[in-house]
Amino acid sequence: AEARKEGTAAKGEARKEETGRCGEAKETGKAGVRKPDGGLTETEAAEGVRKKRKNPAYFIGGLTCPVLNTVLYMSSLVLFFYQTDYIQGFVEGLGVSNPLTFVAAFVSVQGAVEAAVCTVVSAAAARALTAALKSA
């Protein structure tokens, strides 16, 4: 019985402490309650996740442009000009048999290098512009 009283008293103290922290959070304007071990509030944790999600967006955007450019250009080239003598000369020179392998052989290394360089450069430029526009 005595152990039960001690447990109930400890729970009561914990509730008082929690209520005090809630009051502090309301006074400071921060949502959430600071964890007893000094952890983050829910708002601080959410802000951290948002910041970590932002950087990959720059790289995804930077990769999308060269990839879509290449896909659309090569699709148009194959759709409209694949049967011409000029393109058929490339097809024979590359030793391929169908339009899909022609596109893969024609783009290959240059397309991969372009995608990598454009991803890094445009992500850096976008990140710098974001920082500059926030400070202005």
Side-chain angles (χ1 to χ4, degrees), residues 23-80:
E24 290 172 14
K26 287 179 184 175
E27 289 171 9
T28 60
K30 290 188 175 182
V33 178
R34 177 116 355 233
K35 306 280 193 242
D37 62 353
L40 299 175
T41 65
E42 289 84 1
T43 302
E44 292 167 337
E47 287 172 4
V49 169
R50 246 183 259 120
K51 286 180 183 177
K52 287 187 178 188
R53 284 187 187 168
K54 191 183 298 183
N55 286 334
Y58 295 114
F59 289 100
I60 292 168
L63 178 64
T64 303
C65 184
V67 169
L68 283 177
N69 180 43
T70 302
V71 167
L72 293 174
Y73 176 79
M74 291 306 294
S75 298
S76 300
L77 182 72
V78 167
L79 184 65
F80 297 119

Side-chain angles (χ1 to χ4, degrees), residues 1 5 10-12 14 17 25 27 29 50 55 62 66 80 88 90 97 100 104 106 114 116 120 124 136:
K5 285 182 184 179
K11 286 182 184 177
E17 188 177 316
E27 289 171 9
R50 246 183 259 120
N55 286 334
F80 297 119
Q88 285 303 309
F90 283 113
S97 59
L100 186 60
F106 198 68
E114 177 187 0
V120 172

